[in-house]
């Protein structure tokens, strides 16, 4: 059986407004999206179910998706993907891994180049994305826009956030040693990309009202 080139792995709880944007974006360049849902009650599970290339599993933690359990889950899932894919993106549901420019398939191009170099982890530059004008705006309704429109087209403004320059684009075989939250690496022997080659767009702080509801 042939391996996938790229798999996206994430967790979710009550993220219905983001679901169609998440699938629309990652579906353009990932072969598979694996989602662990913690009993969402807002229709998130229904929006994910039956979508092509999407696997949905139950989150098995007893106390919700806390950072300690999420870290253990990350290691378990990474180990399970050895031999199943070349690259793994382990992201939060509001994190979109973006290319250096805006060219089609550039994420896959970057990963192919780093694979040829024997890279274990592709470094990212993190940005907190936010609406430019409205203090009350949240996530735009995906169904109001044609399929060529992505969330970053509508919310292109962000502030550089080093804490979100997360080392979450990895090979399953890599010996990464994440700090809690996966925001940085503890001491480990891996080969990093020479510079951040991808962006991590973090769509959490879109407005005070939206952030409060989350």
């Amino acid at each position: 059986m042939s391996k996938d080139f790229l798999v996206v792995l994430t967790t979710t709880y009550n993220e219905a407004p983001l679901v169609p944007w998440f699938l629309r974006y990652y579906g353009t360049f990932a072969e598979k999206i694996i989602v662990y849902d913690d009993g969402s009650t807002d229709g998130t599970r229904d929006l994910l179910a039956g979508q092509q290339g999407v696997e949905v599993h139950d989150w098995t933690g007893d106390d919700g998706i806390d950072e300690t359990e999420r870290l253990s889950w990350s290691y378990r899932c990474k180990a399970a993907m050895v031999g199943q894919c070349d690259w793994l993106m382990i992201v939060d549901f509001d994190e979109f891994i973006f290319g250096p420019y805006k060219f089609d398939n550039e994420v896959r191009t970057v990963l192919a180049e780093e694979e040829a170099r024997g890279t274990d982890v592709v470094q990212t530059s993190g940005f907190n994305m936010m609406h430019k004008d409205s203090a009350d705006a949240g996530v735009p309704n995906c169904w109001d826009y044609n399929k060529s429109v992505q969330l970053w087209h509508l919310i292109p403004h962000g502030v550089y956030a080093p804490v979100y320059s997360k080392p979450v684009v990895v090979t399953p075989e890599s010996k990464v040693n994440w700090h809690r939250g996966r925001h940085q690496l503890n001491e480990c022997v891996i080969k990093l990309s020479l510079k951040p080659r991808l962006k991590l767009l973090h769509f959490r702080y879109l407005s005070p009202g939206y952030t409060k509801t989350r």
Side-chain angles (χ1 to χ4, degrees):
M1 184 176 67
S2 60
K3 291 194 298 182
D4 290 320
F5 180 69
L6 173 62
V7 171
V8 174
L9 183 67
T10 189
T11 57
T12 188
Y13 174 73
N14 285 354
E15 294 281 12
L18 272 175
V19 169
W21 291 115
F22 190 95
L23 299 184
R24 176 180 291 187
Y25 179 63
Y26 282 114
T28 64
F29 58 82
E31 282 89 354
K32 187 180 296 181
I33 300 169
I34 303 175
V35 184
Y36 281 74
D37 177 63
D38 190 25
S40 292
T41 59
D42 69 341
T44 290
R45 188 76 173 242
D46 294 333
L47 291 169
L48 292 167
Q51 297 296 320
Q52 184 175 0
V54 178
E55 291 184 9
V56 184
H57 302 275
D58 293 325
W59 179 258
T60 56
D62 294 331
D63 299 314
I65 308 175
D66 64 58
E67 290 298 343
T68 299
E69 176 56 28
R70 198 197 309 246
L71 184 59
S72 297
W73 165 85
S74 298
Y75 285 124
R76 293 195 303 270
C77 290
K78 188 178 77 69
M81 295 306 297
V82 171
Q84 304 299 310
C85 64
D86 296 314
W87 289 99
L88 188 60
M89 292 180 174
I90 306 180
V91 296
D92 295 346
F93 209 79
D94 55 10
E95 295 173 347
F96 289 40
I97 301 294
F98 188 73
Y101 307 108
K102 297 180 181 179
F103 305 144
D104 290 342
N105 296 317
E106 63 176 348
V107 171
R108 292 178 68 92
T109 298
V110 167
L111 294 180
E113 291 171 354
E114 293 300 330
E115 182 180 36
R117 296 186 179 106
T119 300
D120 297 308
V121 179
V122 178
Q123 299 187 71
T124 68
S125 294
F127 292 84
N128 279 325
M129 310 303 289
M130 57 195 68
H131 285 287
K132 181 180 179 181
D133 301 313
S134 175
D136 299 318
V139 179
N141 186 347
C142 186
W143 314 122
D144 290 341
Y145 303 90
N146 67 53
K147 292 183 178 180
S148 66
V149 176
Q150 297 288 352
L151 185 57
W152 50 266
H153 285 125
L154 305 177
I155 308 173
H157 303 284
V159 176
Y160 176 57
V163 71
Y164 279 99
S165 300
K166 299 167 70 172
V168 292
V169 183
V170 304
T171 62
E173 296 81 6
S174 59
K175 306 299 182 183
V176 294
N177 181 12
W178 285 297
H179 189 71
R180 190 172 184 267
R182 301 195 309 270
H183 290 270
Q184 60 187 14
L185 293 171
N186 297 320
E187 185 175 350
C188 54
V189 179
I190 57 170
K191 184 174 181 180
L192 290 169
S193 59
L194 294 178
K195 61 181 180 179
R197 298 209 59 201
L198 298 170
K199 297 181 178 72
L200 189 157
L201 308 185
H202 184 224
F203 289 94
R204 179 171 184 176
Y205 302 107
L206 299 186
S207 69
Y210 173 69
T211 303
K212 184 177 179 180
T213 62
R214 302 185 76 233

